[in-house]
Each structure stands twice: as C-alpha cells, then as structure tokens.
Amino acid sequence: MKKAVVVFSGGQDSTTCLVKALKEFDEVHAITFDYGQRHRLEIEVAESLAKELGAAAHKVMDVTLLNELAISSLTRDDIPVSHELQDNGLPNSFVPGRNILFLTLAGIYAYQIGANTVITGVCETDFSGYPDCRDEFVKAMNNALVQGMDRDLTIATPLMWLNKAETWAMADHYGALDLVREKTLTCYNGLIGDGCGDCPSCDLRRAGLEDYLNNREAVMVDYIKKSEP
C-alpha cells in the first residue's frame, strides 16, 4: 500500500497537493500545524477540507512554541503584513524555522504510519522570497531526515517549478478548480476564497488565477509538460 503524508494548511497550494495525492496514493494522511498563526481560521478550513476530500486521517499538531521564538507578521497581530522587504531582503511574513519544524514533524509522522512520502506545496518559481521554500533547502531536509531516521523517505514538491497560473491548472486538471478557488484560505488576513485582495499572498493568487483563466489552454499545456516524468 502506497501511503503519503501531506503538509496541509488548507490554502491553495497544499489543497492542490492533497487533491493530487489522493489520486496517486492508496492512503493519504494530512498534517496541519497550529503555531499561533495570524490567520488561525486556516486550521478549521484544513479540517473541513481534509474531511470533504477524504483524507484517511487528519492530524492537527500544537507547535505554538514556534510562536514564542519566531517574530513575524504571521505570528504577531500587532505587526501589519507588509508589501516591502525588510533590511535582510525577506518579507516580514517569513517565519524563521517554520518549514524546518514542519517537515521534521511530518517526517516523524510518516515514519510512524509507514509512509515513505511527505508532500509539501512549497514552490521556488512563484514564492514570497522565503528561503525555506527553495529546492536546495528541501533536498537538504530530505537528506537529513533519511540520515537521522535511517529510513527511505522522499519529500515530494509537486509545485516546485510551477508558477501560480500552472498551479491553478493543476487544480483544474484534477477537477478541483472551483473547490480550491472558493473553499481554501490563502489570505494572510484570514479571508476564505479570493481573500482580502490586499496582502502579498492574495496578490500572487489573484494574478495567477487571472493568467490561467485568460490563457487556459496554453497554461494547461505548460503544466502538463512540466508534470510529465
């Protein structure tokens, strides 16, 4: 039996990854992390979507210790989400160590349930400048988990080389365009669907959707080419 664990936030990217995984694996487990995030509604959204889509299990883990250490606009209500980069070249929505922690815990969970694949929706093509969304980082984490647990494990990143329009194409390809558009939560200000329209995450999501809807056939062709083995 092929089992996978999907790091699942209930947002556009992770929901698209979950939809895809459910088509490709015999058993799919979703894992969501409560780190005291600004947009806490995403936990409820993730629970609802995991149930609706038919995940075999959905684990919500309390990792609020991350909130104590990582100061970010996503962990502090009194820090507005900014469109400008900080002096270090990173957006103030970057949560240091977040994906290090998430992938480590997802890897441990995969070990316990006998899964050999952890799926995450990080992307290097259209991303917010986060260093822990890069392919180089994921490969390093993958190697560390394999070495540290002495077990075969693959961290799969289906969106790594897709732009946002192509991610919408993937959702459409798997018959989930409307679900992803209407029921996921990507907005940093916690609004489901199209969101607030004024945060960096909403900007990226909206631009990708407009590009896909205006160039549907061409974008779908590009997505399929990138997705072929």
Side-chain angles (χ1 to χ4, degrees), residues 62-104:
D62 182 348
V63 291
T64 47
L65 60 91
L66 179 62
N67 192 290
E68 297 178 27
L69 298 172
I71 298 175
S72 158
S73 63
L74 297 192
T75 61
R76 299 292 185 275
D77 290 336
D78 60 346
I79 302 177
V81 178
S82 174
H83 289 265
E84 305 299 324
L85 297 180
Q86 304 174 100
D87 292 341
N88 62 5
L90 297 175
N92 77 346
S93 56
F94 173 61
V95 181
R98 181 173 60 174
N99 283 343
I100 296 173
L101 180 62
F102 289 3
L103 290 175
T104 298

mmCIF file of all heavy atoms in Angstrom, residues 62-104:
data_model
loop_
_atom_site.group_PDB
_atom_site.id
_atom_site.type_symbol
_atom_site.label_atom_id
_atom_site.label_comp_id
_atom_site.label_asym_id
_atom_site.label_seq_id
_atom_site.Cartn_x
_atom_site.Cartn_y
_atom_site.Cartn_z
ATOM 1 N N ASP A 62 -0.082 20.868 17.860
ATOM 2 C CA ASP A 62 0.178 22.106 18.572
ATOM 3 C C ASP A 62 1.681 22.362 18.584
ATOM 4 O O ASP A 62 2.441 21.658 19.243
ATOM 5 C CB ASP A 62 -0.346 22.000 20.002
ATOM 6 C CG ASP A 62 -0.163 23.288 20.802
ATOM 7 O OD1 ASP A 62 0.556 24.190 20.339
ATOM 8 O OD2 ASP A 62 -0.732 23.378 21.904
ATOM 9 N N VAL A 63 2.107 23.366 17.818
ATOM 10 C CA VAL A 63 3.524 23.739 17.802
ATOM 11 C C VAL A 63 3.646 25.238 18.120
ATOM 12 O O VAL A 63 4.427 25.961 17.511
ATOM 13 C CB VAL A 63 4.199 23.408 16.453
ATOM 14 C CG1 VAL A 63 4.308 21.903 16.256
ATOM 15 C CG2 VAL A 63 3.444 24.019 15.277
ATOM 16 N N THR A 64 2.846 25.675 19.085
ATOM 17 C CA THR A 64 2.832 27.097 19.430
ATOM 18 C C THR A 64 4.155 27.567 20.026
ATOM 19 O O THR A 64 4.384 28.769 20.146
ATOM 20 C CB THR A 64 1.682 27.411 20.405
ATOM 21 O OG1 THR A 64 1.660 26.449 21.469
ATOM 22 C CG2 THR A 64 0.344 27.357 19.679
ATOM 23 N N LEU A 65 5.027 26.638 20.383
ATOM 24 C CA LEU A 65 6.361 27.035 20.829
ATOM 25 C C LEU A 65 7.081 27.828 19.744
ATOM 26 O O LEU A 65 7.918 28.689 20.032
ATOM 27 C CB LEU A 65 7.191 25.810 21.226
ATOM 28 C CG LEU A 65 7.449 24.735 20.157
ATOM 29 C CD1 LEU A 65 8.731 25.007 19.391
ATOM 30 C CD2 LEU A 65 7.491 23.361 20.784
ATOM 31 N N LEU A 66 6.746 27.546 18.474
ATOM 32 C CA LEU A 66 7.353 28.301 17.377
ATOM 33 C C LEU A 66 6.993 29.777 17.476
ATOM 34 O O LEU A 66 7.819 30.655 17.194
ATOM 35 C CB LEU A 66 6.881 27.727 16.033
ATOM 36 C CG LEU A 66 7.402 28.408 14.763
ATOM 37 C CD1 LEU A 66 8.917 28.302 14.666
ATOM 38 C CD2 LEU A 66 6.760 27.796 13.523
ATOM 39 N N ASN A 67 5.762 30.061 17.896
ATOM 40 C CA ASN A 67 5.301 31.437 18.024
ATOM 41 C C ASN A 67 6.129 32.206 19.040
ATOM 42 O O ASN A 67 6.384 33.412 18.887
ATOM 43 C CB ASN A 67 3.820 31.443 18.422
ATOM 44 C CG ASN A 67 3.175 32.799 18.303
ATOM 45 O OD1 ASN A 67 3.481 33.688 19.080
ATOM 46 N ND2 ASN A 67 2.284 32.949 17.342
ATOM 47 N N GLU A 68 6.580 31.525 20.086
ATOM 48 C CA GLU A 68 7.371 32.175 21.119
ATOM 49 C C GLU A 68 8.739 32.613 20.599
ATOM 50 O O GLU A 68 9.312 33.596 21.071
ATOM 51 C CB GLU A 68 7.566 31.234 22.307
ATOM 52 C CG GLU A 68 6.275 30.839 23.008
ATOM 53 C CD GLU A 68 6.535 29.877 24.149
ATOM 54 O OE1 GLU A 68 7.645 29.904 24.726
ATOM 55 O OE2 GLU A 68 5.630 29.089 24.474
ATOM 56 N N LEU A 69 9.250 31.884 19.627
ATOM 57 C CA LEU A 69 10.606 32.135 19.139
ATOM 58 C C LEU A 69 10.649 32.978 17.871
ATOM 59 O O LEU A 69 11.583 33.761 17.680
ATOM 60 C CB LEU A 69 11.306 30.789 18.866
ATOM 61 C CG LEU A 69 11.508 29.858 20.061
ATOM 62 C CD1 LEU A 69 12.020 28.509 19.578
ATOM 63 C CD2 LEU A 69 12.469 30.472 21.060
ATOM 64 N N ALA A 70 9.678 32.795 16.995
ATOM 65 C CA ALA A 70 9.732 33.396 15.657
ATOM 66 C C ALA A 70 8.846 34.640 15.583
ATOM 67 O O ALA A 70 7.618 34.529 15.573
ATOM 68 C CB ALA A 70 9.302 32.373 14.609
ATOM 69 N N ILE A 71 9.466 35.793 15.507
ATOM 70 C CA ILE A 71 8.718 37.047 15.409
ATOM 71 C C ILE A 71 8.501 37.373 13.932
ATOM 72 O O ILE A 71 9.448 37.523 13.166
ATOM 73 C CB ILE A 71 9.464 38.192 16.108
ATOM 74 C CG1 ILE A 71 9.612 37.875 17.605
ATOM 75 C CG2 ILE A 71 8.718 39.507 15.925
ATOM 76 C CD1 ILE A 71 10.447 38.894 18.363
ATOM 77 N N SER A 72 7.226 37.486 13.554
ATOM 78 C CA SER A 72 6.850 37.675 12.154
ATOM 79 C C SER A 72 5.473 38.301 12.119
ATOM 80 O O SER A 72 4.724 38.243 13.106
ATOM 81 C CB SER A 72 6.845 36.315 11.442
ATOM 82 O OG SER A 72 6.057 36.322 10.280
ATOM 83 N N SER A 73 5.110 38.880 10.984
ATOM 84 C CA SER A 73 3.752 39.421 10.862
ATOM 85 C C SER A 73 2.709 38.310 10.893
ATOM 86 O O SER A 73 1.529 38.567 11.111
ATOM 87 C CB SER A 73 3.615 40.236 9.573
ATOM 88 O OG SER A 73 3.801 39.419 8.431
ATOM 89 N N LEU A 74 3.134 37.049 10.689
ATOM 90 C CA LEU A 74 2.199 35.929 10.754
ATOM 91 C C LEU A 74 2.073 35.356 12.164
ATOM 92 O O LEU A 74 1.204 34.528 12.429
ATOM 93 C CB LEU A 74 2.612 34.813 9.790
ATOM 94 C CG LEU A 74 2.616 35.159 8.299
ATOM 95 C CD1 LEU A 74 2.750 33.890 7.474
ATOM 96 C CD2 LEU A 74 1.369 35.929 7.888
ATOM 97 N N THR A 75 2.952 35.803 13.071
ATOM 98 C CA THR A 75 2.873 35.316 14.447
ATOM 99 C C THR A 75 2.564 36.430 15.445
ATOM 100 O O THR A 75 2.448 36.166 16.645
ATOM 101 C CB THR A 75 4.194 34.630 14.866
ATOM 102 O OG1 THR A 75 5.270 35.577 14.785
ATOM 103 C CG2 THR A 75 4.498 33.429 13.985
ATOM 104 N N ARG A 76 2.438 37.661 14.963
ATOM 105 C CA ARG A 76 2.147 38.788 15.840
ATOM 106 C C ARG A 76 1.039 39.644 15.230
ATOM 107 O O ARG A 76 1.186 40.167 14.116
ATOM 108 C CB ARG A 76 3.391 39.662 16.050
ATOM 109 C CG ARG A 76 4.571 38.966 16.709
ATOM 110 C CD ARG A 76 4.287 38.603 18.160
ATOM 111 N NE ARG A 76 5.461 38.034 18.807
ATOM 112 C CZ ARG A 76 5.810 36.741 18.747
ATOM 113 N NH1 ARG A 76 5.050 35.889 18.059
ATOM 114 N NH2 ARG A 76 6.878 36.299 19.381
ATOM 115 N N ASP A 77 -0.058 39.791 15.943
ATOM 116 C CA ASP A 77 -1.185 40.580 15.431
ATOM 117 C C ASP A 77 -0.860 42.063 15.322
ATOM 118 O O ASP A 77 -1.517 42.785 14.560
ATOM 119 C CB ASP A 77 -2.409 40.402 16.339
ATOM 120 C CG ASP A 77 -3.010 39.004 16.227
ATOM 121 O OD1 ASP A 77 -2.796 38.357 15.181
ATOM 122 O OD2 ASP A 77 -3.677 38.563 17.186
ATOM 123 N N ASP A 78 0.136 42.524 16.075
ATOM 124 C CA ASP A 78 0.454 43.955 16.070
ATOM 125 C C ASP A 78 1.493 44.326 15.021
ATOM 126 O O ASP A 78 1.936 45.475 14.956
ATOM 127 C CB ASP A 78 0.925 44.406 17.458
ATOM 128 C CG ASP A 78 2.173 43.658 17.932
ATOM 129 O OD1 ASP A 78 2.523 42.619 17.316
ATOM 130 O OD2 ASP A 78 2.778 44.103 18.918
ATOM 131 N N ILE A 79 1.878 43.364 14.178
ATOM 132 C CA ILE A 79 2.805 43.646 13.075
ATOM 133 C C ILE A 79 2.030 43.511 11.770
ATOM 134 O O ILE A 79 1.691 42.393 11.362
ATOM 135 C CB ILE A 79 4.011 42.685 13.065
ATOM 136 C CG1 ILE A 79 4.781 42.762 14.388
ATOM 137 C CG2 ILE A 79 4.942 43.009 11.888
ATOM 138 C CD1 ILE A 79 5.954 41.781 14.469
ATOM 139 N N PRO A 80 1.712 44.609 11.089
ATOM 140 C CA PRO A 80 0.963 44.514 9.830
ATOM 141 C C PRO A 80 1.769 43.781 8.756
ATOM 142 O O PRO A 80 3.002 43.903 8.704
ATOM 143 C CB PRO A 80 0.737 45.987 9.428
ATOM 144 C CG PRO A 80 1.005 46.779 10.674
ATOM 145 C CD PRO A 80 2.015 46.012 11.450
ATOM 146 N N VAL A 81 1.082 43.007 7.927
ATOM 147 C CA VAL A 81 1.747 42.352 6.805
ATOM 148 C C VAL A 81 2.163 43.417 5.796
ATOM 149 O O VAL A 81 1.343 44.219 5.352
ATOM 150 C CB VAL A 81 0.822 41.323 6.122
ATOM 151 C CG1 VAL A 81 1.524 40.686 4.926
ATOM 152 C CG2 VAL A 81 0.384 40.247 7.113
ATOM 153 N N SER A 82 3.439 43.442 5.472
ATOM 154 C CA SER A 82 3.976 44.493 4.602
ATOM 155 C C SER A 82 4.233 43.974 3.196
ATOM 156 O O SER A 82 4.563 42.795 2.998
ATOM 157 C CB SER A 82 5.288 45.027 5.192
ATOM 158 O OG SER A 82 5.898 45.944 4.308
ATOM 159 N N HIS A 83 4.098 44.858 2.219
ATOM 160 C CA HIS A 83 4.451 44.528 0.837
ATOM 161 C C HIS A 83 5.938 44.781 0.584
ATOM 162 O O HIS A 83 6.462 44.386 -0.464
ATOM 163 C CB HIS A 83 3.628 45.375 -0.142
ATOM 164 C CG HIS A 83 2.182 44.980 -0.200
ATOM 165 N ND1 HIS A 83 1.686 44.117 -1.144
ATOM 166 C CD2 HIS A 83 1.127 45.321 0.574
ATOM 167 C CE1 HIS A 83 0.376 43.949 -0.967
ATOM 168 N NE2 HIS A 83 0.009 44.683 0.081
ATOM 169 N N GLU A 84 6.590 45.449 1.509
ATOM 170 C CA GLU A 84 8.006 45.803 1.348
ATOM 171 C C GLU A 84 8.902 44.760 2.009
ATOM 172 O O GLU A 84 8.523 44.121 2.997
ATOM 173 C CB GLU A 84 8.274 47.177 1.968
ATOM 174 C CG GLU A 84 7.389 48.284 1.448
ATOM 175 C CD GLU A 84 7.552 48.516 -0.053
ATOM 176 O OE1 GLU A 84 8.697 48.374 -0.546
ATOM 177 O OE2 GLU A 84 6.547 48.815 -0.727
ATOM 178 N N LEU A 85 10.102 44.592 1.461
ATOM 179 C CA LEU A 85 11.065 43.672 2.055
ATOM 180 C C LEU A 85 11.774 44.342 3.227
ATOM 181 O O LEU A 85 11.933 45.562 3.269
ATOM 182 C CB LEU A 85 12.097 43.237 1.006
ATOM 183 C CG LEU A 85 11.562 42.451 -0.196
ATOM 184 C CD1 LEU A 85 12.701 42.090 -1.140
ATOM 185 C CD2 LEU A 85 10.828 41.185 0.243
ATOM 186 N N GLN A 86 12.200 43.537 4.174
ATOM 187 C CA GLN A 86 12.947 44.038 5.306
ATOM 188 C C GLN A 86 14.403 44.277 4.905
ATOM 189 O O GLN A 86 14.819 43.969 3.787
ATOM 190 C CB GLN A 86 12.893 43.023 6.457
ATOM 191 C CG GLN A 86 11.487 42.656 6.898
ATOM 192 C CD GLN A 86 11.490 41.555 7.931
ATOM 193 O OE1 GLN A 86 11.362 41.813 9.121
ATOM 194 N NE2 GLN A 86 11.651 40.315 7.481
ATOM 195 N N ASP A 87 15.198 44.783 5.824
ATOM 196 C CA ASP A 87 16.608 45.056 5.550
ATOM 197 C C ASP A 87 17.379 43.791 5.185
ATOM 198 O O ASP A 87 18.380 43.856 4.460
ATOM 199 C CB ASP A 87 17.265 45.718 6.767
ATOM 200 C CG ASP A 87 16.742 47.127 7.024
ATOM 201 O OD1 ASP A 87 16.159 47.715 6.087
ATOM 202 O OD2 ASP A 87 16.905 47.626 8.155
ATOM 203 N N ASN A 88 16.908 42.640 5.675
ATOM 204 C CA ASN A 88 17.587 41.378 5.358
ATOM 205 C C ASN A 88 17.149 40.789 4.024
ATOM 206 O O ASN A 88 17.570 39.687 3.652
ATOM 207 C CB ASN A 88 17.371 40.358 6.480
ATOM 208 C CG ASN A 88 15.898 39.995 6.681
ATOM 209 O OD1 ASN A 88 15.030 40.434 5.928
ATOM 210 N ND2 ASN A 88 15.614 39.196 7.703
ATOM 211 N N GLY A 89 16.287 41.511 3.299
ATOM 212 C CA GLY A 89 15.840 41.064 1.987
ATOM 213 C C GLY A 89 14.667 40.107 2.009
ATOM 214 O O GLY A 89 14.245 39.626 0.953
ATOM 215 N N LEU A 90 14.116 39.829 3.199
ATOM 216 C CA LEU A 90 12.998 38.901 3.326
ATOM 217 C C LEU A 90 11.728 39.652 3.697
ATOM 218 O O LEU A 90 11.784 40.689 4.353
ATOM 219 C CB LEU A 90 13.296 37.858 4.411
ATOM 220 C CG LEU A 90 14.493 36.941 4.165
ATOM 221 C CD1 LEU A 90 14.728 36.054 5.376
ATOM 222 C CD2 LEU A 90 14.286 36.098 2.913
ATOM 223 N N PRO A 91 10.569 39.138 3.295
ATOM 224 C CA PRO A 91 9.304 39.760 3.701
ATOM 225 C C PRO A 91 9.077 39.578 5.197
ATOM 226 O O PRO A 91 9.601 38.626 5.792
ATOM 227 C CB PRO A 91 8.252 39.006 2.883
ATOM 228 C CG PRO A 91 8.884 37.702 2.562
ATOM 229 C CD PRO A 91 10.356 37.958 2.425
ATOM 230 N N ASN A 92 8.297 40.476 5.805
ATOM 231 C CA ASN A 92 8.107 40.344 7.252
ATOM 232 C C ASN A 92 7.111 39.237 7.604
ATOM 233 O O ASN A 92 6.850 38.991 8.776
ATOM 234 C CB ASN A 92 7.705 41.677 7.889
ATOM 235 C CG ASN A 92 6.247 42.053 7.654
ATOM 236 O OD1 ASN A 92 5.550 41.483 6.806
ATOM 237 N ND2 ASN A 92 5.774 43.048 8.385
ATOM 238 N N SER A 93 6.586 38.550 6.597
ATOM 239 C CA SER A 93 5.729 37.376 6.829
ATOM 240 C C SER A 93 6.545 36.086 6.935
ATOM 241 O O SER A 93 5.980 35.018 7.196
ATOM 242 C CB SER A 93 4.696 37.246 5.703
ATOM 243 O OG SER A 93 5.334 37.195 4.442
ATOM 244 N N PHE A 94 7.846 36.173 6.756
ATOM 245 C CA PHE A 94 8.702 34.989 6.880
ATOM 246 C C PHE A 94 8.764 34.551 8.343
ATOM 247 O O PHE A 94 9.043 35.354 9.232
ATOM 248 C CB PHE A 94 10.111 35.290 6.365
ATOM 249 C CG PHE A 94 11.098 34.180 6.605
ATOM 250 C CD1 PHE A 94 10.899 32.930 6.056
ATOM 251 C CD2 PHE A 94 12.232 34.402 7.386
ATOM 252 C CE1 PHE A 94 11.809 31.900 6.276
ATOM 253 C CE2 PHE A 94 13.142 33.371 7.610
ATOM 254 C CZ PHE A 94 12.940 32.124 7.055
ATOM 255 N N VAL A 95 8.481 33.267 8.583
ATOM 256 C CA VAL A 95 8.546 32.700 9.929
ATOM 257 C C VAL A 95 9.786 31.804 9.990
ATOM 258 O O VAL A 95 9.780 30.695 9.454
ATOM 259 C CB VAL A 95 7.278 31.880 10.263
ATOM 260 C CG1 VAL A 95 7.370 31.322 11.683
ATOM 261 C CG2 VAL A 95 6.024 32.730 10.090
ATOM 262 N N PRO A 96 10.882 32.275 10.596
ATOM 263 C CA PRO A 96 12.118 31.501 10.581
ATOM 264 C C PRO A 96 11.971 30.135 11.235
ATOM 265 O O PRO A 96 11.432 30.010 12.334
ATOM 266 C CB PRO A 96 13.106 32.389 11.367
ATOM 267 C CG PRO A 96 12.259 33.338 12.140
ATOM 268 C CD PRO A 96 11.021 33.545 11.331
ATOM 269 N N GLY A 97 12.427 29.118 10.518
ATOM 270 C CA GLY A 97 12.398 27.755 11.041
ATOM 271 C C GLY A 97 11.094 27.013 10.830
ATOM 272 O O GLY A 97 10.990 25.825 11.164
ATOM 273 N N ARG A 98 10.087 27.679 10.256
ATOM 274 C CA ARG A 98 8.777 27.052 10.149
ATOM 275 C C ARG A 98 8.824 25.752 9.350
ATOM 276 O O ARG A 98 8.355 24.711 9.820
ATOM 277 C CB ARG A 98 7.762 28.026 9.529
ATOM 278 C CG ARG A 98 6.357 27.450 9.413
ATOM 279 C CD ARG A 98 5.345 28.492 8.952
ATOM 280 N NE ARG A 98 5.673 29.051 7.644
ATOM 281 C CZ ARG A 98 4.875 29.890 6.973
ATOM 282 N NH1 ARG A 98 3.716 30.257 7.497
ATOM 283 N NH2 ARG A 98 5.223 30.355 5.793
ATOM 284 N N ASN A 99 9.351 25.795 8.148
ATOM 285 C CA ASN A 99 9.352 24.581 7.339
ATOM 286 C C ASN A 99 10.372 23.554 7.819
ATOM 287 O O ASN A 99 10.221 22.355 7.548
ATOM 288 C CB ASN A 99 9.575 24.921 5.863
ATOM 289 C CG ASN A 99 8.318 25.459 5.213
ATOM 290 O OD1 ASN A 99 7.218 25.301 5.727
ATOM 291 N ND2 ASN A 99 8.471 26.124 4.077
ATOM 292 N N ILE A 100 11.388 23.999 8.524
ATOM 293 C CA ILE A 100 12.310 23.040 9.151
ATOM 294 C C ILE A 100 11.534 22.203 10.161
ATOM 295 O O ILE A 100 11.622 20.973 10.184
ATOM 296 C CB ILE A 100 13.477 23.770 9.847
ATOM 297 C CG1 ILE A 100 14.336 24.526 8.823
ATOM 298 C CG2 ILE A 100 14.339 22.776 10.630
ATOM 299 C CD1 ILE A 100 15.393 25.407 9.448
ATOM 300 N N LEU A 101 10.761 22.882 11.001
ATOM 301 C CA LEU A 101 9.963 22.192 12.015
ATOM 302 C C LEU A 101 8.869 21.347 11.378
ATOM 303 O O LEU A 101 8.680 20.176 11.732
ATOM 304 C CB LEU A 101 9.354 23.220 12.969
ATOM 305 C CG LEU A 101 8.475 22.685 14.101
ATOM 306 C CD1 LEU A 101 9.289 21.779 15.027
ATOM 307 C CD2 LEU A 101 7.851 23.833 14.885
ATOM 308 N N PHE A 102 8.139 21.924 10.426
ATOM 309 C CA PHE A 102 7.018 21.215 9.808
ATOM 310 C C PHE A 102 7.472 19.927 9.117
ATOM 311 O O PHE A 102 6.856 18.871 9.278
ATOM 312 C CB PHE A 102 6.301 22.107 8.803
ATOM 313 C CG PHE A 102 5.497 23.226 9.403
ATOM 314 C CD1 PHE A 102 5.484 23.447 10.774
ATOM 315 C CD2 PHE A 102 4.756 24.077 8.600
ATOM 316 C CE1 PHE A 102 4.755 24.485 11.322
ATOM 317 C CE2 PHE A 102 4.010 25.114 9.139
ATOM 318 C CZ PHE A 102 4.006 25.322 10.505
ATOM 319 N N LEU A 103 8.535 20.021 8.340
ATOM 320 C CA LEU A 103 8.989 18.842 7.600
ATOM 321 C C LEU A 103 9.585 17.789 8.527
ATOM 322 O O LEU A 103 9.444 16.582 8.282
ATOM 323 C CB LEU A 103 9.993 19.245 6.523
ATOM 324 C CG LEU A 103 9.398 20.017 5.347
ATOM 325 C CD1 LEU A 103 10.498 20.485 4.393
ATOM 326 C CD2 LEU A 103 8.368 19.180 4.582
ATOM 327 N N THR A 104 10.228 18.240 9.597
ATOM 328 C CA THR A 104 10.759 17.287 10.573
ATOM 329 C C THR A 104 9.622 16.497 11.223
ATOM 330 O O THR A 104 9.657 15.261 11.295
ATOM 331 C CB THR A 104 11.561 18.018 11.654
ATOM 332 O OG1 THR A 104 12.675 18.682 11.051
ATOM 333 C CG2 THR A 104 12.078 17.046 12.711
#
